[in-house]
Amino acid sequence: MIANIASSGNSQPAKGSGRFVNAGILLLIVLFVVILFGSCNKFLDTKPVDSITPETYYKTQTDLDRALAAVYDRLGDRRTYGCGLWGFLNFSDEFYVKSQPTGYMSNTLDASMLELNRCWEALYVGIERANMLLDHLDGAAVPDSNKNEVKGQALFLRAFYYFVLADNFGAVPLKLTSTKSPLEPNIPRTPLPEVYAQIVKDMKEAEGLVKEITYYGFGGRISKSAVQAMLARIYLTMAGEPLNDVAKYADAKEYANKVIISGKHALNPSFQNVFIRLSADEYDIKESIWELEFDGNNQGIVREGGYVGSWMGIYCPNIDTGFGYDHVHITAKVYNVYEPNDLRRDWTVAPFRFVPNGSGTRAPVTRTNWSATQIYERSVGKYRREYEKARPRDQDFTPINFPMLRYSDVLLMFAEAENEATGPSAEGLEYVNKVRRRGFGKPVDVADPAVDLPALGQQDFREAIRAERFRELSYEGIRKHDLVRWGIYVTTMQQQVTEYQTNMPANLSDAAIKQASRVTSRSVLFPIPNTEIAVNPYVTQNPGW
């Protein structure tokens, strides 16, 4: 299947993407040529000039922009970062799904699961589109500087798609050129170190080609900061499970430091405001280094809405207020990880829900606080639809952008990488304390003994950083990834089973226990989809599946 993905495959229109001319229209044009010239020879000698092929496309700046938009497009697929990779394919100790005892929303994974198959497919379609753009970029009649910028974007996105695949599926077929024929041979799984080596190679080349974030002025485009921050994340991943290449901690520190010393980024003084601005479609390029763009309510011609805030958001039965499903609930572990007076808790974990006063999706609602003991009943609060500006609101689709990389993550990555490479330092401690001060509503650059961590040894600082990542980055699609690279995903989820059995209300615990208990040693990697194995005899299944 990898060798045969069609470059034009698209389940929904891509932003700004070109469309292939309908074959029926082309046939009519050819018939007109036959009648007009009345010559078989003329007909045989005439080449259609109105069809779009790789050889006739990729010629103008508009062509390149549209092709690049098509590469970006797969990021927002519902099975990738439209929902799956921060939601129903990302089960961890952050959340449980309340009302789905079976199916993909209950952590019931297998190699035949449609949503998992489509996640794999969407990622490889993104790679194929990037390969097509890279293969034909040199033929464009545009300045070299423009070509280089587009090339950097495409290289980053190809590398990122491979990173997501490797992170979730392990070794995968590595394909670096576009498909020229459906008869091309199938590709076996490439050893994981080779996949990561290519990811790093692409990212490093992209770093020298893309522009600074201040040039773009918004976080939806890949900037130099985004490349450097993502390289820090990739190197941290390589240093942890399963590669355990501890030399990469030094590289992770280097690339996190590049972002820090660039002077282009800073923490937003308000943790809450980071997410208000995401909901309101307001860019904050100092804090939000890369965000996945969604737009509108999916009720017009252009349909680029997402599920941020509806699938994972505050429970609300009213469309006009901002509909939120009662699927995703927080865990007591998230709630309890916050210290007293940490303002992040009541923003990350919604302290209220909207209670209907009548029936129907436009019945009035009342904002009602949860009691102190109602913990597992609460919703995720980071993505609040009440700040949406698009009208009318839709029950499912929102314009809320999803945070892919934030500056606070970079500061915490620096501290972690340095601590693992050489031990704790005053600099790494200060970066963690900046994040903490902001969480408590304090000035980030002013030392505050009431909230600052003291100097700690390596093991204690390791645990402090991990706890801080949990507080700061919950529900941003990174928690499971962290637990896996730390080598504690399975044990953490087994502990959650005990927690649910012991402390969770009986009317909620059944679904949560089943979801967490399905995480076993095989769950560190997804199964290779059956659709791939069925067409590619060189691809073997992951252990346990």
Side-chain angles (χ1 to χ4, degrees), residues 8-19 57 61-77 81-82 129 133 157 161 218-221 281 283 290-298 301-308 398-402:
S8 61
N10 191 5
S11 61
Q12 55 183 320
K15 294 181 182 177
S17 62
R19 297 186 180 181
Y57 201 65
Q61 187 65 51
T62 298
D63 292 345
L64 299 186
D65 291 342
R66 287 175 173 173
L68 184 58
V71 183
Y72 272 94
D73 179 72
R74 294 300 83 192
L75 290 169
D77 188 284
Y81 286 94
R129 291 176 179 178
L133 178 53
L157 291 169
Y161 287 132
F218 66 104
R221 189 94 165 178
D281 279 337
Y283 294 107
W290 180 29
E291 55 193 67
L292 178 55
E293 302 246 22
F294 295 100
D295 184 62
N297 54 20
N298 267 39
I301 296 175
V302 177
R303 300 195 171 190
E304 293 292 344
Y307 294 89
V308 185
T398 83
I400 302 175
N401 288 358
F402 186 76

Side-chain angles (χ1 to χ4, degrees), residues 55-122:
E55 290 69 35
T56 59
Y57 201 65
Y58 305 103
K59 299 301 183 185
T60 68
Q61 187 65 51
T62 298
D63 292 345
L64 299 186
D65 291 342
R66 287 175 173 173
L68 184 58
V71 183
Y72 272 94
D73 179 72
R74 294 300 83 192
L75 290 169
D77 188 284
R78 189 170 69 87
R79 292 90 179 180
T80 60
Y81 286 94
C83 186
L85 291 176
W86 49 258
F88 55 80
L89 295 176
N90 194 48
F91 276 88
S92 72
D93 53 350
E94 288 179 317
F95 70 87
Y96 70 99
V97 177
K98 173 186 173 185
S99 56
Q100 296 290 334
T102 60
Y104 67 88
M105 286 176 64
S106 65
N107 203 24
T108 306
L109 294 179
D110 62 59
S112 65
M113 192 178 85
L114 177 63
E115 298 301 316
L116 192 65
N117 280 251
R118 289 188 173 174
C119 176
W120 172 281
E121 177 188 343

Side-chain angles (χ1 to χ4, degrees), residues 158-265:
R158 181 174 73 179
F160 181 74
Y161 287 132
Y162 271 123
F163 175 50
V164 176
L165 282 163
D167 199 32
N168 288 285
F169 294 94
V172 294
L174 187 63
K175 188 172 184 293
L176 302 176
T177 58
S178 59
T179 300
K180 308 300 188 298
S181 165
L183 301 179
E184 289 182 13
N186 290 305
I187 303 173
R189 297 177 73 173
T190 304
L192 195 59
E194 294 181 29
V195 177
Y196 272 102
Q198 184 64 46
I199 291 168
V200 169
K201 180 177 181 294
D202 280 355
M203 288 271 180
K204 285 188 172 181
E205 187 175 356
E207 180 189 7
L209 297 173
V210 299
K211 300 183 184 299
E212 300 285 359
I213 195 168
T214 48
Y215 173 87
Y216 300 119
F218 66 104
R221 189 94 165 178
I222 299 304
S223 65
K224 195 177 296 292
S225 297
V227 178
Q228 292 165 346
M230 187 55 65
L231 271 166
R233 180 179 291 177
I234 290 165
Y235 279 128
L236 273 181
T237 306
M238 297 172 72
E241 296 283 350
L243 294 182
N244 293 306
D245 185 357
V246 296
K248 295 297 187 289
Y249 282 122
D251 296 313
K253 174 187 172 182
E254 175 190 352
Y255 274 88
N257 193 51
K258 284 187 176 185
V259 180
I260 295 168
I261 66 174
S262 72
K264 299 187 182 302
H265 299 283

Side-chain angles (χ1 to χ4, degrees), residues 45 92 312 378 400 481:
D45 291 342
S92 72
M312 181 180 281
R378 304 186 186 208
I400 302 175
H481 166 85

